[in-house]
Amino acid sequence: MSPPRHNLPLSAGEFIRFVGRERDIVDLGRLLGTARMVTLTGTGGIGKTRLALHLAERVMRRFPDGVRFVDLSEATTEDQVLRTVAGVLQAVEDDSRTTTDAVITALRTQSLLLFLDTCEHAVDPIGRLCRAVLRDCPRVRILATSRQPLHVPEESIWRVPPLSLPARPTPTDPYSADPAPLPRRDAQRYESVRLFVTRAHAARSGFEMTRENSGHIAEICRLLDGMPLAIELAAARVRVLSVQQILRRLDDRFQLLTSDGSGDLPPRQRTLRAVLEWSHDLLNEPERALLHRLSVFGTWYLEAAEDVCAGDGVDAADILPLHFSLLDKSLIMVDTEIEGTAHYRLTETVRAYAAEHLAAEGGEDERWSRYLDFCVTRLEAAAEGSRSPMGWSERLAHFRLLDHHRENHARVVRWALSRGRVDEALRVCVALRPYWLVRDQAAAGGRILESVLATDPDGQSPQLRARALALQAELRLDLDVAPRVSALAMCALEAARACREAGAAASALATMAALALRTNALDEGRRHAERALSWAEQDGDPLTETTALGVLAQLARRRGEPDRAVELLRYCIELGEKLHDRWSVARCLHVLGSIAAEQDEFERARDLFAESLAVFEELGAAPATAHCSRELGRLYLAQGLILQAREPLASCLRVSFTSGQRIAVARALEALGELALAEEEAERAAALTGVAADLRTALDRPSAETVRLRTAVEGRVGPARTAEAWNAWRSLPLEQVRDRALAFPRSADRPAEPVTLTPREREIAELVEQGLSNREIAERLTISQATAARHIANIFRKLSISSRTQLTGWASAQDRT
């Protein structure tokens, strides 16, 4: 009798239970068509064996002699490896040849796939066997799974990725206790969510994903890093716990995530802890020490690891080779590359396990203390450097670095507070001020700072506390009601006066000036702004200086003195250009555009808006992008260009929604209500404005705009229909309101005016479409970044667009015409 085609441990139910990995199986199938040996690597529980089993079943027909599966999880020596393989192959041993020879003899004439599973405990012996097989058995291909590569010359390494995860959205209510819900249409897009729902339904037949629990399911999958085993163990807990309870208990994931004892899993995978202990046992002492110390980071780069983790058995010179080793063993992973610097990370599960060991060793406080000192030193140096001339590309690179380390800084502040090191926590927050203000981190930064200010206030350094109070007032300016912000600013000003802290006084006064502008207290606002400007110049703080100048310009504009406003803005632009701070310049260009629009200089206004928008989008400054897009849309409305107004106003809503600022969402909905009126869609205008009014009421930020729009709608359709339409969308989730707001009614086609770009503009438009930044375009074409920005502004104006993403497909469309 001929042997069976395979010995794969696949039950009929396995094919039903397997979820996701469709793309991986297709790509791996192609790879096995060209590579003699493929090794699937990855951390424990990532699904290497299950993926390999399904891959082997899929490609079996290519091999006339089938597939032979060898479980090497118990093999730790060369003799055990060879005897296990020989047993599966039924290789005959005798006194005249070794076990290796017997294996080679059994395989030499075969055309099969040799599947070696769980190779990490005997990497060197298995590697030697694989080399011999590849050398002497030309029709055999090898598929292996291991937590580290086998270092065979012909080996192709495939790192098994986590299951796909939904991105963590920015909630429109930053203070909500619940995660933002996952839209139903997205549920099947993400493998991790599909796996959780499938396994949960198997554990409890009545289980369903609903709007109420979808956000919790997505967050569970995120916290478990898309690891299939962990997700399956978590999903099994729905027998006795709700998903909300499972999420809350993930802080103690090693206690929670154990198997139900059904016996389907090998012992090494019946608990999450066992999976990690299996990997941990493979490490030598320096590798273990470094892994434990790396748990203080969420993400890190090599220099940070050398500074924080070296010493006590780990030499700084060994940090790099130890990283290679831990990467090979799938315990750390390459996270991303930022401006040419590689970053690494641990999965949350590995980090929690390593942190347990670090605490047990008694080294936790030392490493966290070193990391706190590292953060304070680097952040303060960067904040001080931002006050001097610094290239725009360097500023952007620094902001991108801080974007990536945002959670690191939150964690190090929490640790500092837990150890009573409040002043160091304040120093971290104050040093992050430029980043928080420019990068729209007001809500997140405000929450962190609030907790620091509330911790031992009497023991805090007076200067640091004054600066932190002033920063808190700045951060809350667009988030809180005016009386609360005013109280914060006054408290900061009193604290600054008491300790003669000029920077804090300047910042507090600038915030008070901005509040006075909003309440139309123009004389009071000018006094505050002028004093703020004086203190900022004394402190050498260009950020507060440009803010005060901007408020003075707005006050002059409000008083009917546009020429004075333009003069102040141009001076502010000079300051920004000296520092190469294009963000400050763009803010001034935006206001200049508003002034030009008020004077009916529409062409100039569009150019200024487009130029400032290009900077805001490059920087990712959500509030500024939303505000500028809204004004550009209203400019088109003022010109009667209704269809052109749609895209910038839609962009305003999308960006506002993403930012999580409900007041920005309200303003965007009001602007879309104005557009709806212009399109003769009065009831749609009422529905949009009704939601905006609710948001403003919740924030205690009333506006005459909502009253004006309602009155206009009543004049079109009468009070009764207005009231009905006003209430139509108010009970809907904001996500549905957004979707309806962006679903514009159809308009009759209008003939498009011919658009002509210069050859240089067309060249730049094609580069923008390829995803190049202004800096990259400037380098490619040997022009200045300012010239590139001007060309892009002209392109936006000519094409009646407001964002780089709108150029997608433009060049190919032009080629077809």
Side-chain angles (χ1 to χ4, degrees), residues 341-352:
T341 299
H343 279 64
Y344 311 90
R345 72 179 181 91
L346 302 169
T347 66
E348 274 303 302
T349 299
V350 173
R351 193 196 63 75

Side-chain angles (χ1 to χ4, degrees), residues 445-487:
R447 286 196 297 273
I448 294 170
L449 190 52
E450 188 173 27
S451 67
V452 179
L453 286 167
T455 304
D456 189 22
D458 295 334
Q460 295 174 9
S461 158
Q463 289 80 8
L464 282 171
R465 182 167 179 81
R467 292 168 67 188
L469 286 167
L471 173 56
Q472 183 73 333
E474 281 184 289
L475 295 173
R476 304 309 301 173
L477 183 59
D478 285 324
L479 300 174
D480 271 341
V481 295
R484 172 165 161 71
V485 177
S486 178

Side-chain angles (χ1 to χ4, degrees), residues 194-264:
R194 283 161 50 199
L195 178 63
F196 185 97
V197 173
T198 301
R199 297 296 187 267
H201 185 74
R204 176 157 58 89
S205 60
F207 178 84
E208 289 184 5
M209 186 170 77
T210 64
R211 175 179 171 78
E212 288 69 30
N213 67 21
S214 63
H216 297 82
I217 292 172
E219 188 65 13
I220 288 168
C221 294
R222 292 186 201 105
L223 289 176
L224 296 177
D225 306 291
M227 181 192 290
L229 176 64
I231 290 171
E232 291 187 348
L233 293 172
R237 288 290 171 262
V238 302
R239 291 181 184 177
V240 292
L241 298 172
S242 69
V243 291
Q244 291 87 340
Q245 289 174 303
I246 293 171
L247 178 58
R248 287 196 296 270
R249 288 170 178 263
L250 279 183
D251 285 342
D252 188 11
R253 63 188 65 196
F254 299 119
Q255 180 68 31
L256 177 71
L257 302 183
T258 60
S259 75
D260 58 6
S262 63
D264 291 340

Side-chain angles (χ1 to χ4, degrees), residues 424-636:
E424 284 100 325
L426 285 171
R427 289 171 68 184
V428 169
C429 294
V430 169
L432 285 169
R433 176 188 176 230
Y435 169 73
W436 281 347
L437 292 175
V438 173
R439 258 309 197 237
D440 182 33
Q441 291 298 305
R447 286 196 297 273
I448 294 170
L449 190 52
E450 188 173 27
S451 67
V452 179
L453 286 167
T455 304
D456 189 22
D458 295 334
Q460 295 174 9
S461 158
Q463 289 80 8
L464 282 171
R465 182 167 179 81
R467 292 168 67 188
L469 286 167
L471 173 56
Q472 183 73 333
E474 281 184 289
L475 295 173
R476 304 309 301 173
L477 183 59
D478 285 324
L479 300 174
D480 271 341
V481 295
R484 172 165 161 71
V485 177
S486 178
L488 281 169
M490 281 298 300
C491 183
L493 183 59
E494 291 171 4
R497 285 171 172 164
C499 62
R500 303 189 62 79
E501 173 53 57
S507 172
L509 285 164
T511 300
M512 293 167 70
L515 279 175
L517 174 65
R518 289 182 183 175
T519 57
N520 217 34
L522 304 186
D523 292 337
E524 178 187 343
R526 180 167 59 182
R527 286 196 303 274
H528 289 324
E530 287 173 347
R531 291 166 63 203
L533 185 60
S534 174
W535 281 106
E537 289 171 344
Q538 177 182 327
D539 187 56
D541 178 4
L543 182 57
T544 303
E545 190 174 353
T546 54
T547 299
L549 284 167
V551 173
L552 284 170
Q554 293 280 28
L555 288 163
R557 177 184 169 197
R558 189 76 61 83
R559 289 195 305 271
E561 302 172 6
D563 292 343
R564 175 59 178 161
V566 169
E567 179 186 349
L568 288 164
L569 291 166
R570 286 178 175 163
Y571 176 61
C572 192
I573 288 172
E574 286 180 21
L575 291 178
E577 287 178 339
K578 285 178 184 176
L579 296 171
H580 310 297
D581 178 6
R582 294 185 61 207
W583 179 69
S584 295
V585 172
R587 292 169 76 201
C588 296
L589 292 174
H590 176 195
V591 182
L592 286 173
S594 301
I595 294 172
E598 290 170 355
Q599 297 174 338
D600 294 337
E601 297 178 21
F602 297 130
E603 194 82 4
R604 173 171 162 73
R606 274 196 293 181
D607 286 348
L608 289 165
F609 286 149
E611 190 172 350
S612 56
L613 258 178
V615 176
F616 295 148
E617 289 181 337
E618 183 179 27
L619 185 58
T625 300
H627 188 190
C628 198
S629 296
R630 187 170 74 252
E631 293 215 37
L632 181 60
R634 282 181 162 152
L635 179 67
Y636 284 129

Side-chain angles (χ1 to χ4, degrees), residues 67-81:
V67 179
R68 289 295 172 267
F69 171 83
V70 184
D71 180 1
L72 294 168
S73 59
E74 302 298 323
T76 58
T77 66
E78 185 157 22
D79 183 64
Q80 290 172 339
V81 168

Side-chain angles (χ1 to χ4, degrees), residues 440 617 621-626 629 650-660 664:
D440 182 33
E617 289 181 337
T625 300
S629 296
S651 175
C652 172
L653 178 60
R654 284 191 292 265
V655 172
S656 299
F657 201 93
T658 302
S659 76

Side-chain angles (χ1 to χ4, degrees), residues 14 69 116 135 187 268 314 411 464 546 643 686 691 707:
E14 171 63 29
F69 171 83
L116 305 177
R135 182 186 64 238
R268 69 178 187 278
V314 178
R411 291 175 63 231
L464 282 171
T546 54
L643 286 181
V691 177
V707 177

